[in-house]
Amino acid sequence: MRLVISREALIKPLQLVAGVVERRQTLPVLSNILLVAEGDQLSLTGTDLEVELIGRVQLEEPADAGSVTVPARKLMDICKSLADDARIELELSGQKMMIKSGRSRFSLSTLPAHEFPNVEDSPETFELELPQSSLRRLIEQTGFSMAQQDVRYYLNGMLLEVKDGELRSVATDGHRLATSVSAVQTDAGSQQQIIVPRKGILELARLLQGGDESVKLVIGANHIRANVGDFTFTSKLVDGKFPDYQRVIPRNGDKELLGDRQELRQVFSRIAILSNEKYRGVRLTLNDGVLQVMANNPEQEEAEETVSVDYQGGHLEIGFNVNYLLDVLSILNSDVVRFTLLDSNSSALIQGYDEPEALYVVMPMRM
């Protein structure tokens, strides 16, 4: 196996593929990426047995065909350290991968390609295509609410639901919920619900560009595949039942607050400085036209600020984890944000004024 490639052509696919590879591995071969040269194409594959990413690069001149696995991090660090306009020669010599560029010479250990595992396929059951920007927006608007290492393993991921010509993303960690929706073209009456693991969602988001190019999603019984440009992404699905998110969304709120998103975000950020570092609680006190935000901590330090808002619902006191509020205000684009509330024990429904497709639910805190 021998090939010549420019650093510029290799670095992007290498970084994306190496991102899938975990630093600490049970199997030595999982720390490696699989290189396959054939004709004028080089393919790179990385996996952690749950998520797999294959990137393809066109070569300027045909390669001597072959396949081998090399350490992902070391190959990436070598490529990063070379000059931007460098040309890189890769040649397999016995058990070593020889890398030459200018006056630099490196020899990397290898493992045989046949030891490299691939994520096994399941029969395809469903396909859909949508713009990359739409899928990326769905992930951005909801991804921050995914749980991390929760014992309820089905929360450590994102629900993707296809129904009535819409693709909906839902994420929750049990304290808050985020959901967004985008129109897609599907067969009438087709329905699908899958849970994609957290790592799969994060890696897919890195792949997606903001443009109008489309991404094709293929859903199987226990995997999802996305074809994005020169990359093929595959992730296993989480086998579990996602909570009924429709029951979580409050429908009976009778108090509505409208406020300037950036102003509220700055107020919450300031008050958060003196909130309890562990619980991050802030108390919101609402009276007609005025919102008072307060926080204190075990050192008996206090912060308080009032802000003018559009609110005519009478007196209400309610506590929240300020981080959850800031996450929502950071992800919205609207200038005006709407809070719909019922009482101090009921969840708040938060929306951007011009973003009806995204809904956020935050549970209250006892203060």
Side-chain angles (χ1 to χ4, degrees):
M1 175 180 171
R2 181 187 171 279
L3 62 100
V4 178
I5 189 169
S6 68
R7 175 188 181 275
E8 187 185 5
L10 182 60
I11 195 90
K12 185 196 169 195
L14 182 57
Q15 283 179 314
L16 285 166
V17 169
V20 174
V21 177
E22 293 286 347
R23 285 182 184 275
R24 290 188 296 280
Q25 284 296 356
T26 44
L27 291 168
V29 75
L30 290 178
S31 301
N32 287 10
I33 56 172
L34 172 66
L35 301 179
V36 180
E38 206 173 320
D40 58 356
Q41 193 177 63
L42 170 69
S43 78
L44 306 92
T45 307
T47 184
D48 66 352
L49 296 180
E50 186 179 80
V51 176
E52 176 189 80
L53 184 59
I54 305 171
R56 297 171 195 82
V57 194
Q58 284 300 118
L59 301 171
E60 291 165 21
E61 49 194 81
D64 296 347
S67 59
V68 72
T69 79
V70 295
R73 298 266 162 220
K74 290 173 184 167
L75 180 58
M76 190 169 77
D77 289 344
I78 288 169
C79 289
K80 277 182 169 175
S81 70
L82 297 170
D84 289 352
D85 57 353
R87 291 182 70 70
I88 303 168
E89 183 185 324
L90 302 173
E91 186 170 5
L92 188 58
S93 171
Q95 303 277 305
K96 297 284 185 193
M97 171 64 80
M98 311 304 292
I99 304 171
K100 299 177 190 169
S101 180
R103 296 180 182 177
S104 309
R105 300 284 180 276
F106 306 90
S107 93
L108 283 180
S109 61
T110 65
L111 287 169
H114 66 78
E115 289 185 18
F116 195 81
N118 57 353
V119 176
E120 63 271 13
D121 277 356
S122 54
E124 296 168 6
T125 57
F126 191 80
E127 275 188 25
L128 70 113
E129 209 165 306
L130 72 159
Q132 290 188 32
S133 54
S134 300
L135 182 56
R136 183 174 176 170
R137 188 81 187 120
L138 283 180
I139 293 174
E140 281 175 354
Q141 286 181 318
T142 55
F144 64 88
S145 287
M146 290 187 289
Q148 291 190 53
Q149 297 172 330
D150 197 297
V151 290
R152 296 164 295 181
Y153 60 93
Y154 47 83
L155 297 184
N156 301 321
M158 182 179 288
L159 177 76
L160 295 180
E161 180 184 65
V162 179
K163 192 176 173 184
D164 304 332
E166 292 181 330
L167 174 63
R168 179 178 290 279
S169 61
V170 188
T172 178
D173 60 7
H175 303 287
R176 53 177 169 179
L177 177 140
T179 176
S180 185
V181 72
S182 178
V184 289
Q185 288 184 331
T186 58
D187 302 334
S190 56
Q191 286 195 18
Q192 195 80 23
Q193 259 202 0
I194 57 169
I195 306 172
V196 184
R198 180 185 174 84
K199 181 173 178 182
I201 288 291
L202 298 178
E203 292 301 331
L204 180 55
R206 289 175 60 200
L207 268 187
L208 296 167
Q209 305 297 317
D212 292 330
E213 294 94 55
S214 66
V215 52
K216 183 178 169 192
L217 297 179
V218 179
I219 297 167
N222 50 25
H223 80 277
I224 181 171
R225 172 170 297 136
N227 294 310
V228 184
D230 295 327
F231 294 90
T232 303
F233 160 90
T234 310
S235 170
K236 287 187 173 175
L237 299 178
V238 177
D239 183 18
K241 178 110 179 71
F242 202 81
D244 180 0
Y245 65 89
Q246 292 287 4
R247 285 180 49 201
V248 177
I249 298 171
R251 310 276 181 200
N252 52 356
D254 58 359
K255 299 175 176 63
E256 188 174 276
L257 176 157
L258 296 175
D260 182 292
R261 180 178 67 87
Q262 289 291 12
E263 185 181 15
L264 287 174
R265 187 177 161 192
Q266 288 162 6
V267 169
F268 289 145
S269 298
R270 284 193 287 271
I271 300 303
I273 297 167
L274 295 187
S275 66
N276 183 316
E277 284 179 17
K278 187 175 175 190
Y279 300 111
R280 307 294 288 159
V282 295
R283 179 185 283 120
L284 276 52
T285 306
L286 279 160
N287 288 298
D288 290 356
V290 178
L291 166 66
Q292 182 188 43
V293 187
M294 285 178 63
N296 55 26
N297 60 25
E299 291 82 49
Q300 279 158 5
E301 299 164 327
E302 288 188 3
E304 180 187 317
E305 185 165 344
T306 51
V307 56
S308 297
V309 290
D310 182 355
Y311 172 77
Q312 305 296 328
H315 181 76
L316 174 67
E317 278 191 30
I318 188 167
F320 291 108
N321 179 323
V322 71
N323 288 1
Y324 297 165
L325 299 179
L326 287 170
D327 283 345
V328 174
L329 296 179
S330 302
I331 215 76
L332 288 171
N333 289 328
S334 302
D335 294 334
V336 176
V337 63
R338 173 192 283 130
F339 285 71
T340 309
L341 304 155
L342 179 64
D343 56 39
S344 57
N345 299 317
S346 302
S347 298
L349 180 65
I350 309 173
Q351 277 178 289
Y353 199 68
D354 341 322
E355 294 172 83
E357 75 281 358
L359 285 176
Y360 301 95
V361 179
V362 181
M363 285 176 69
M365 261 178 94
R366 283 206 160 80
M367 294 293 289

